[in-house]
Amino acid sequence: MKFFVDTAEIVDIRELAATGLVDGVTTNPSLVAKTGRDFFAVLRDICAVVEGPVSAEVAATEHDGMVREGRRLAEVAGNIVVKVPLTWDGLKACRTLAQAGIMVNVTLCFSPNQALFAAKAGAKFVSPFVGRLDDVSQDGMALIRDIRLIFDNYAALTTEILVASIRHPLHVVEAARIGADACTVPPAVMRRLANHPLTDNGLEAFLTDWQKTGQTIAGA
Ligand code: E4P
C-alpha cells in the first residue's frame, strides 16, 4: 500500500520524506490556507522533495474553470495530480484533463456510485473520506470495502483507491486489510504508525544488557 502525507506543510513533508516511506502528498484548499503561503510556491517546494504524486486541488466549480486551473496546476511539475471535487462538473473536468494526459484525483467521495463514476471518468485516484463519514455515524471503512469489491469486479477500472480523511492508525490498518491502493495520512498520525511501547521497553532492556557486556560493534 502506498503512503501519502496529507499536508501542505513543507517542514513536515521534508521530515517524513527523509524516511523513504512517503510515496506522495495530498493537499487541499484548507491545508494550503493553514500554511499562509502562496499555493504555487507551496507546490513547487513539495515537488522538489517528493517524486511521487502530489495532489493540488482546483478552486473553480464549473467545468471550464476547473480545466483551466487544472492545466495551470499541472504545469508546476510532472508529478502534479489535479484534484477535482466529485460533482458533475468535476467528473466532466476529470474526463477532459485525463484525456489530455493529466493525472486526476477525484476528491470528496462519499458513496460507491460516486467512486464508480470517478473511475469511468478516467481518474487516476478516487479519494473516499472515511473520517468524515465516521463523524456522521456512517461506517467509513464500509465504503472502502464496497469500492474495492466493485473495482475488483471490472478489470477495466484501474483507478486507485486513495483512502482519505484518515484520523487514526486503525484506519490505516483497516485500509491495508481491505487492499486499498493508498492512504493519505496526516503527519501526526503518520508519526504514530511505527510506535509501540513494547518496542521502546524492549530496546531499553536490550541496550542496558548490552552495556553490561562492555563490547562495541562499530570498533574504534
Ligand atoms: C484528502 O485528500 C483530504 O485532503 C483529507 O484527507 C481530508 O481530511 P479531513 O477530513 O481530516 O479534513
PDB file of all heavy atoms in Angstrom, residues 169-203:
ATOM      1  N   PRO A 169      -4.467   5.485  13.546  1.00  0.00           N
ATOM      2  CA  PRO A 169      -3.767   4.330  12.963  1.00  0.00           C
ATOM      3  C   PRO A 169      -4.673   3.175  12.560  1.00  0.00           C
ATOM      4  O   PRO A 169      -4.377   2.472  11.589  1.00  0.00           O
ATOM      5  CB  PRO A 169      -2.793   3.913  14.072  1.00  0.00           C
ATOM      6  CG  PRO A 169      -2.505   5.185  14.806  1.00  0.00           C
ATOM      7  CD  PRO A 169      -3.809   5.937  14.810  1.00  0.00           C
ATOM      8  N   LEU A 170      -5.782   2.970  13.270  1.00  0.00           N
ATOM      9  CA  LEU A 170      -6.656   1.837  12.909  1.00  0.00           C
ATOM     10  C   LEU A 170      -7.268   1.999  11.526  1.00  0.00           C
ATOM     11  O   LEU A 170      -7.523   1.012  10.831  1.00  0.00           O
ATOM     12  CB  LEU A 170      -7.770   1.668  13.946  1.00  0.00           C
ATOM     13  CG  LEU A 170      -7.538   0.631  15.038  1.00  0.00           C
ATOM     14  CD1 LEU A 170      -8.779   0.505  15.910  1.00  0.00           C
ATOM     15  CD2 LEU A 170      -7.175  -0.732  14.441  1.00  0.00           C
ATOM     16  N   HIS A 171      -7.504   3.247  11.119  1.00  0.00           N
ATOM     17  CA  HIS A 171      -7.978   3.479   9.754  1.00  0.00           C
ATOM     18  C   HIS A 171      -6.971   2.921   8.744  1.00  0.00           C
ATOM     19  O   HIS A 171      -7.352   2.349   7.719  1.00  0.00           O
ATOM     20  CB  HIS A 171      -8.157   4.987   9.491  1.00  0.00           C
ATOM     21  CG  HIS A 171      -9.482   5.552   9.934  1.00  0.00           C
ATOM     22  ND1 HIS A 171      -9.619   6.848  10.363  1.00  0.00           N
ATOM     23  CD2 HIS A 171     -10.720   4.995   9.971  1.00  0.00           C
ATOM     24  CE1 HIS A 171     -10.898   7.076  10.650  1.00  0.00           C
ATOM     25  NE2 HIS A 171     -11.578   5.965  10.430  1.00  0.00           N
ATOM     26  N   VAL A 172      -5.691   3.096   9.044  1.00  0.00           N
ATOM     27  CA  VAL A 172      -4.641   2.630   8.118  1.00  0.00           C
ATOM     28  C   VAL A 172      -4.613   1.106   8.087  1.00  0.00           C
ATOM     29  O   VAL A 172      -4.538   0.487   7.012  1.00  0.00           O
ATOM     30  CB  VAL A 172      -3.262   3.207   8.526  1.00  0.00           C
ATOM     31  CG1 VAL A 172      -2.172   2.708   7.586  1.00  0.00           C
ATOM     32  CG2 VAL A 172      -3.306   4.733   8.544  1.00  0.00           C
ATOM     33  N   VAL A 173      -4.709   0.486   9.258  1.00  0.00           N
ATOM     34  CA  VAL A 173      -4.710  -0.988   9.326  1.00  0.00           C
ATOM     35  C   VAL A 173      -5.879  -1.536   8.513  1.00  0.00           C
ATOM     36  O   VAL A 173      -5.716  -2.447   7.692  1.00  0.00           O
ATOM     37  CB  VAL A 173      -4.842  -1.471  10.799  1.00  0.00           C
ATOM     38  CG1 VAL A 173      -4.986  -2.982  10.854  1.00  0.00           C
ATOM     39  CG2 VAL A 173      -3.650  -1.023  11.622  1.00  0.00           C
ATOM     40  N   GLU A 174      -7.051  -0.969   8.722  1.00  0.00           N
ATOM     41  CA  GLU A 174      -8.246  -1.444   8.021  1.00  0.00           C
ATOM     42  C   GLU A 174      -8.117  -1.257   6.510  1.00  0.00           C
ATOM     43  O   GLU A 174      -8.487  -2.130   5.723  1.00  0.00           O
ATOM     44  CB  GLU A 174      -9.488  -0.703   8.534  1.00  0.00           C
ATOM     45  CG  GLU A 174     -10.119  -1.344   9.743  1.00  0.00           C
ATOM     46  CD  GLU A 174     -10.506  -2.806   9.481  1.00  0.00           C
ATOM     47  OE1 GLU A 174     -11.310  -3.054   8.576  1.00  0.00           O
ATOM     48  OE2 GLU A 174      -9.963  -3.689  10.172  1.00  0.00           O
ATOM     49  N   ALA A 175      -7.585  -0.104   6.114  1.00  0.00           N
ATOM     50  CA  ALA A 175      -7.414   0.170   4.680  1.00  0.00           C
ATOM     51  C   ALA A 175      -6.489  -0.881   4.055  1.00  0.00           C
ATOM     52  O   ALA A 175      -6.742  -1.368   2.945  1.00  0.00           O
ATOM     53  CB  ALA A 175      -6.856   1.571   4.475  1.00  0.00           C
ATOM     54  N   ALA A 176      -5.440  -1.236   4.781  1.00  0.00           N
ATOM     55  CA  ALA A 176      -4.492  -2.228   4.261  1.00  0.00           C
ATOM     56  C   ALA A 176      -5.139  -3.614   4.204  1.00  0.00           C
ATOM     57  O   ALA A 176      -4.915  -4.382   3.265  1.00  0.00           O
ATOM     58  CB  ALA A 176      -3.233  -2.248   5.131  1.00  0.00           C
ATOM     59  N   ARG A 177      -5.934  -3.932   5.222  1.00  0.00           N
ATOM     60  CA  ARG A 177      -6.630  -5.242   5.220  1.00  0.00           C
ATOM     61  C   ARG A 177      -7.564  -5.359   4.019  1.00  0.00           C
ATOM     62  O   ARG A 177      -7.706  -6.429   3.419  1.00  0.00           O
ATOM     63  CB  ARG A 177      -7.458  -5.412   6.495  1.00  0.00           C
ATOM     64  CG  ARG A 177      -6.631  -5.653   7.741  1.00  0.00           C
ATOM     65  CD  ARG A 177      -7.486  -5.460   8.971  1.00  0.00           C
ATOM     66  NE  ARG A 177      -8.365  -6.578   9.172  1.00  0.00           N
ATOM     67  CZ  ARG A 177      -8.245  -7.454  10.171  1.00  0.00           C
ATOM     68  NH1 ARG A 177      -7.264  -7.310  11.037  1.00  0.00           N
ATOM     69  NH2 ARG A 177      -9.083  -8.437  10.291  1.00  0.00           N
ATOM     70  N   ILE A 178      -8.200  -4.259   3.689  1.00  0.00           N
ATOM     71  CA  ILE A 178      -9.167  -4.265   2.584  1.00  0.00           C
ATOM     72  C   ILE A 178      -8.448  -4.306   1.224  1.00  0.00           C
ATOM     73  O   ILE A 178      -8.985  -4.753   0.224  1.00  0.00           O
ATOM     74  CB  ILE A 178     -10.083  -3.016   2.689  1.00  0.00           C
ATOM     75  CG1 ILE A 178     -10.961  -3.127   3.937  1.00  0.00           C
ATOM     76  CG2 ILE A 178     -10.950  -2.842   1.452  1.00  0.00           C
ATOM     77  CD1 ILE A 178     -11.617  -1.816   4.339  1.00  0.00           C
ATOM     78  N   GLY A 179      -7.201  -3.828   1.228  1.00  0.00           N
ATOM     79  CA  GLY A 179      -6.466  -3.798  -0.042  1.00  0.00           C
ATOM     80  C   GLY A 179      -6.611  -2.481  -0.782  1.00  0.00           C
ATOM     81  O   GLY A 179      -6.547  -2.439  -2.016  1.00  0.00           O
ATOM     82  N   ALA A 180      -6.807  -1.393  -0.035  1.00  0.00           N
ATOM     83  CA  ALA A 180      -6.819  -0.068  -0.665  1.00  0.00           C
ATOM     84  C   ALA A 180      -5.450   0.168  -1.299  1.00  0.00           C
ATOM     85  O   ALA A 180      -4.441  -0.356  -0.820  1.00  0.00           O
ATOM     86  CB  ALA A 180      -7.107   1.007   0.385  1.00  0.00           C
ATOM     87  N   ASP A 181      -5.425   0.937  -2.371  1.00  0.00           N
ATOM     88  CA  ASP A 181      -4.147   1.165  -3.057  1.00  0.00           C
ATOM     89  C   ASP A 181      -3.248   2.120  -2.296  1.00  0.00           C
ATOM     90  O   ASP A 181      -2.026   1.998  -2.331  1.00  0.00           O
ATOM     91  CB  ASP A 181      -4.417   1.726  -4.460  1.00  0.00           C
ATOM     92  CG  ASP A 181      -5.252   0.753  -5.275  1.00  0.00           C
ATOM     93  OD1 ASP A 181      -4.682  -0.250  -5.734  1.00  0.00           O
ATOM     94  OD2 ASP A 181      -6.469   0.969  -5.416  1.00  0.00           O
ATOM     95  N   ALA A 182      -3.853   3.101  -1.637  1.00  0.00           N
ATOM     96  CA  ALA A 182      -3.061   4.129  -0.943  1.00  0.00           C
ATOM     97  C   ALA A 182      -3.867   4.722   0.202  1.00  0.00           C
ATOM     98  O   ALA A 182      -5.102   4.680   0.198  1.00  0.00           O
ATOM     99  CB  ALA A 182      -2.683   5.234  -1.938  1.00  0.00           C
ATOM    100  N   CYS A 183      -3.135   5.253   1.166  1.00  0.00           N
ATOM    101  CA  CYS A 183      -3.749   6.009   2.265  1.00  0.00           C
ATOM    102  C   CYS A 183      -3.089   7.364   2.282  1.00  0.00           C
ATOM    103  O   CYS A 183      -1.865   7.461   2.118  1.00  0.00           O
ATOM    104  CB  CYS A 183      -3.430   5.354   3.610  1.00  0.00           C
ATOM    105  SG  CYS A 183      -4.547   4.038   4.043  1.00  0.00           S
ATOM    106  N   THR A 184      -3.859   8.423   2.499  1.00  0.00           N
ATOM    107  CA  THR A 184      -3.213   9.707   2.740  1.00  0.00           C
ATOM    108  C   THR A 184      -3.389  10.036   4.219  1.00  0.00           C
ATOM    109  O   THR A 184      -4.502  10.069   4.745  1.00  0.00           O
ATOM    110  CB  THR A 184      -3.684  10.823   1.795  1.00  0.00           C
ATOM    111  OG1 THR A 184      -2.868  11.961   2.041  1.00  0.00           O
ATOM    112  CG2 THR A 184      -5.161  11.172   1.921  1.00  0.00           C
ATOM    113  N   VAL A 185      -2.244  10.229   4.881  1.00  0.00           N
ATOM    114  CA  VAL A 185      -2.207  10.227   6.341  1.00  0.00           C
ATOM    115  C   VAL A 185      -1.675  11.560   6.861  1.00  0.00           C
ATOM    116  O   VAL A 185      -0.611  12.014   6.419  1.00  0.00           O
ATOM    117  CB  VAL A 185      -1.276   9.075   6.825  1.00  0.00           C
ATOM    118  CG1 VAL A 185      -1.335   8.926   8.332  1.00  0.00           C
ATOM    119  CG2 VAL A 185      -1.636   7.761   6.149  1.00  0.00           C
ATOM    120  N   PRO A 186      -2.381  12.197   7.807  1.00  0.00           N
ATOM    121  CA  PRO A 186      -1.848  13.438   8.385  1.00  0.00           C
ATOM    122  C   PRO A 186      -0.520  13.152   9.093  1.00  0.00           C
ATOM    123  O   PRO A 186      -0.337  12.055   9.646  1.00  0.00           O
ATOM    124  CB  PRO A 186      -2.922  13.849   9.411  1.00  0.00           C
ATOM    125  CG  PRO A 186      -4.141  13.074   9.058  1.00  0.00           C
ATOM    126  CD  PRO A 186      -3.672  11.811   8.382  1.00  0.00           C
ATOM    127  N   PRO A 187       0.416  14.125   9.095  1.00  0.00           N
ATOM    128  CA  PRO A 187       1.733  13.894   9.690  1.00  0.00           C
ATOM    129  C   PRO A 187       1.669  13.342  11.115  1.00  0.00           C
ATOM    130  O   PRO A 187       2.422  12.426  11.465  1.00  0.00           O
ATOM    131  CB  PRO A 187       2.388  15.273   9.668  1.00  0.00           C
ATOM    132  CG  PRO A 187       1.745  15.969   8.522  1.00  0.00           C
ATOM    133  CD  PRO A 187       0.334  15.462   8.471  1.00  0.00           C
ATOM    134  N   ALA A 188       0.756  13.867  11.934  1.00  0.00           N
ATOM    135  CA  ALA A 188       0.693  13.424  13.335  1.00  0.00           C
ATOM    136  C   ALA A 188       0.348  11.938  13.421  1.00  0.00           C
ATOM    137  O   ALA A 188       0.895  11.207  14.255  1.00  0.00           O
ATOM    138  CB  ALA A 188      -0.340  14.255  14.094  1.00  0.00           C
ATOM    139  N   VAL A 189      -0.541  11.484  12.550  1.00  0.00           N
ATOM    140  CA  VAL A 189      -0.916  10.058  12.554  1.00  0.00           C
ATOM    141  C   VAL A 189       0.231   9.232  11.984  1.00  0.00           C
ATOM    142  O   VAL A 189       0.570   8.163  12.497  1.00  0.00           O
ATOM    143  CB  VAL A 189      -2.218   9.822  11.747  1.00  0.00           C
ATOM    144  CG1 VAL A 189      -2.566   8.340  11.700  1.00  0.00           C
ATOM    145  CG2 VAL A 189      -3.372  10.623  12.344  1.00  0.00           C
ATOM    146  N   MET A 190       0.863   9.748  10.928  1.00  0.00           N
ATOM    147  CA  MET A 190       1.998   9.040  10.305  1.00  0.00           C
ATOM    148  C   MET A 190       3.078   8.752  11.356  1.00  0.00           C
ATOM    149  O   MET A 190       3.629   7.662  11.400  1.00  0.00           O
ATOM    150  CB  MET A 190       2.564   9.906   9.185  1.00  0.00           C
ATOM    151  CG  MET A 190       3.575   9.228   8.322  1.00  0.00           C
ATOM    152  SD  MET A 190       2.815   8.131   7.123  1.00  0.00           S
ATOM    153  CE  MET A 190       3.261   8.922   5.621  1.00  0.00           C
ATOM    154  N   ARG A 191       3.358   9.734  12.201  1.00  0.00           N
ATOM    155  CA  ARG A 191       4.423   9.562  13.200  1.00  0.00           C
ATOM    156  C   ARG A 191       4.075   8.467  14.210  1.00  0.00           C
ATOM    157  O   ARG A 191       4.956   7.868  14.787  1.00  0.00           O
ATOM    158  CB  ARG A 191       4.685  10.880  13.939  1.00  0.00           C
ATOM    159  CG  ARG A 191       5.345  11.917  13.060  1.00  0.00           C
ATOM    160  CD  ARG A 191       5.789  13.145  13.844  1.00  0.00           C
ATOM    161  NE  ARG A 191       6.260  14.146  12.903  1.00  0.00           N
ATOM    162  CZ  ARG A 191       5.544  15.190  12.471  1.00  0.00           C
ATOM    163  NH1 ARG A 191       4.327  15.391  12.935  1.00  0.00           N
ATOM    164  NH2 ARG A 191       6.040  16.027  11.585  1.00  0.00           N
ATOM    165  N   ARG A 192       2.775   8.244  14.412  1.00  0.00           N
ATOM    166  CA  ARG A 192       2.372   7.240  15.400  1.00  0.00           C
ATOM    167  C   ARG A 192       2.402   5.820  14.842  1.00  0.00           C
ATOM    168  O   ARG A 192       2.351   4.848  15.604  1.00  0.00           O
ATOM    169  CB  ARG A 192       0.956   7.551  15.919  1.00  0.00           C
ATOM    170  CG  ARG A 192       0.973   8.705  16.921  1.00  0.00           C
ATOM    171  CD  ARG A 192      -0.348   9.450  16.959  1.00  0.00           C
ATOM    172  NE  ARG A 192      -1.459   8.618  17.409  1.00  0.00           N
ATOM    173  CZ  ARG A 192      -2.746   8.943  17.254  1.00  0.00           C
ATOM    174  NH1 ARG A 192      -3.071  10.073  16.671  1.00  0.00           N
ATOM    175  NH2 ARG A 192      -3.683   8.152  17.691  1.00  0.00           N
ATOM    176  N   LEU A 193       2.495   5.682  13.519  1.00  0.00           N
ATOM    177  CA  LEU A 193       2.342   4.352  12.925  1.00  0.00           C
ATOM    178  C   LEU A 193       3.465   3.376  13.280  1.00  0.00           C
ATOM    179  O   LEU A 193       3.235   2.177  13.344  1.00  0.00           O
ATOM    180  CB  LEU A 193       2.213   4.455  11.395  1.00  0.00           C
ATOM    181  CG  LEU A 193       0.970   5.188  10.876  1.00  0.00           C
ATOM    182  CD1 LEU A 193       0.914   5.140   9.363  1.00  0.00           C
ATOM    183  CD2 LEU A 193      -0.311   4.598  11.460  1.00  0.00           C
ATOM    184  N   ALA A 194       4.666   3.892  13.477  1.00  0.00           N
ATOM    185  CA  ALA A 194       5.785   2.977  13.768  1.00  0.00           C
ATOM    186  C   ALA A 194       5.986   2.774  15.264  1.00  0.00           C
ATOM    187  O   ALA A 194       6.846   1.987  15.672  1.00  0.00           O
ATOM    188  CB  ALA A 194       7.076   3.509  13.141  1.00  0.00           C
ATOM    189  N   ASN A 195       5.205   3.483  16.079  1.00  0.00           N
ATOM    190  CA  ASN A 195       5.435   3.423  17.529  1.00  0.00           C
ATOM    191  C   ASN A 195       4.719   2.262  18.203  1.00  0.00           C
ATOM    192  O   ASN A 195       3.582   1.929  17.850  1.00  0.00           O
ATOM    193  CB  ASN A 195       4.941   4.720  18.199  1.00  0.00           C
ATOM    194  CG  ASN A 195       5.784   5.910  17.788  1.00  0.00           C
ATOM    195  OD1 ASN A 195       6.855   5.741  17.237  1.00  0.00           O
ATOM    196  ND2 ASN A 195       5.280   7.101  18.065  1.00  0.00           N
ATOM    197  N   HIS A 196       5.411   1.666  19.189  1.00  0.00           N
ATOM    198  CA  HIS A 196       4.758   0.708  20.079  1.00  0.00           C
ATOM    199  C   HIS A 196       5.514   0.736  21.405  1.00  0.00           C
ATOM    200  O   HIS A 196       6.748   0.658  21.402  1.00  0.00           O
ATOM    201  CB  HIS A 196       4.773  -0.711  19.492  1.00  0.00           C
ATOM    202  CG  HIS A 196       3.766  -1.596  20.157  1.00  0.00           C
ATOM    203  ND1 HIS A 196       3.906  -2.057  21.443  1.00  0.00           N
ATOM    204  CD2 HIS A 196       2.567  -2.070  19.724  1.00  0.00           C
ATOM    205  CE1 HIS A 196       2.862  -2.786  21.760  1.00  0.00           C
ATOM    206  NE2 HIS A 196       2.023  -2.805  20.734  1.00  0.00           N
ATOM    207  N   PRO A 197       4.818   0.834  22.537  1.00  0.00           N
ATOM    208  CA  PRO A 197       5.512   0.912  23.830  1.00  0.00           C
ATOM    209  C   PRO A 197       6.381  -0.312  24.103  1.00  0.00           C
ATOM    210  O   PRO A 197       7.442  -0.203  24.732  1.00  0.00           O
ATOM    211  CB  PRO A 197       4.381   1.031  24.863  1.00  0.00           C
ATOM    212  CG  PRO A 197       3.108   0.786  24.127  1.00  0.00           C
ATOM    213  CD  PRO A 197       3.371   0.993  22.671  1.00  0.00           C
ATOM    214  N   LEU A 198       5.972  -1.479  23.602  1.00  0.00           N
ATOM    215  CA  LEU A 198       6.784  -2.686  23.844  1.00  0.00           C
ATOM    216  C   LEU A 198       8.090  -2.623  23.060  1.00  0.00           C
ATOM    217  O   LEU A 198       9.099  -3.201  23.473  1.00  0.00           O
ATOM    218  CB  LEU A 198       5.998  -3.947  23.474  1.00  0.00           C
ATOM    219  CG  LEU A 198       4.831  -4.288  24.401  1.00  0.00           C
ATOM    220  CD1 LEU A 198       4.118  -5.552  23.922  1.00  0.00           C
ATOM    221  CD2 LEU A 198       5.298  -4.473  25.839  1.00  0.00           C
ATOM    222  N   THR A 199       8.073  -1.917  21.923  1.00  0.00           N
ATOM    223  CA  THR A 199       9.326  -1.720  21.175  1.00  0.00           C
ATOM    224  C   THR A 199      10.275  -0.874  22.012  1.00  0.00           C
ATOM    225  O   THR A 199      11.470  -1.207  22.161  1.00  0.00           O
ATOM    226  CB  THR A 199       9.047  -1.013  19.828  1.00  0.00           C
ATOM    227  OG1 THR A 199       8.082  -1.771  19.108  1.00  0.00           O
ATOM    228  CG2 THR A 199      10.312  -0.885  18.998  1.00  0.00           C
ATOM    229  N   ASP A 200       9.748   0.222  22.586  1.00  0.00           N
ATOM    230  CA  ASP A 200      10.582   1.114  23.399  1.00  0.00           C
ATOM    231  C   ASP A 200      11.123   0.386  24.623  1.00  0.00           C
ATOM    232  O   ASP A 200      12.321   0.451  24.927  1.00  0.00           O
ATOM    233  CB  ASP A 200       9.779   2.347  23.842  1.00  0.00           C
ATOM    234  CG  ASP A 200       9.298   3.151  22.649  1.00  0.00           C
ATOM    235  OD1 ASP A 200       9.910   3.025  21.564  1.00  0.00           O
ATOM    236  OD2 ASP A 200       8.304   3.888  22.790  1.00  0.00           O
ATOM    237  N   ASN A 201      10.237  -0.340  25.323  1.00  0.00           N
ATOM    238  CA  ASN A 201      10.677  -1.071  26.531  1.00  0.00           C
ATOM    239  C   ASN A 201      11.707  -2.128  26.184  1.00  0.00           C
ATOM    240  O   ASN A 201      12.719  -2.300  26.871  1.00  0.00           O
ATOM    241  CB  ASN A 201       9.492  -1.780  27.204  1.00  0.00           C
ATOM    242  CG  ASN A 201       8.492  -0.787  27.741  1.00  0.00           C
ATOM    243  OD1 ASN A 201       8.779   0.410  27.786  1.00  0.00           O
ATOM    244  ND2 ASN A 201       7.318  -1.254  28.129  1.00  0.00           N
ATOM    245  N   GLY A 202      11.437  -2.850  25.106  1.00  0.00           N
ATOM    246  CA  GLY A 202      12.340  -3.926  24.694  1.00  0.00           C
ATOM    247  C   GLY A 202      13.711  -3.392  24.338  1.00  0.00           C
ATOM    248  O   GLY A 202      14.742  -3.951  24.718  1.00  0.00           O
ATOM    249  N   LEU A 203      13.725  -2.259  23.623  1.00  0.00           N
ATOM    250  CA  LEU A 203      15.003  -1.681  23.202  1.00  0.00           C
ATOM    251  C   LEU A 203      15.802  -1.210  24.419  1.00  0.00           C
ATOM    252  O   LEU A 203      17.015  -1.434  24.505  1.00  0.00           O
ATOM    253  CB  LEU A 203      14.750  -0.520  22.235  1.00  0.00           C
ATOM    254  CG  LEU A 203      16.002   0.184  21.718  1.00  0.00           C
ATOM    255  CD1 LEU A 203      16.910  -0.794  20.966  1.00  0.00           C
ATOM    256  CD2 LEU A 203      15.622   1.351  20.810  1.00  0.00           C
TER     257      LEU A 203
END
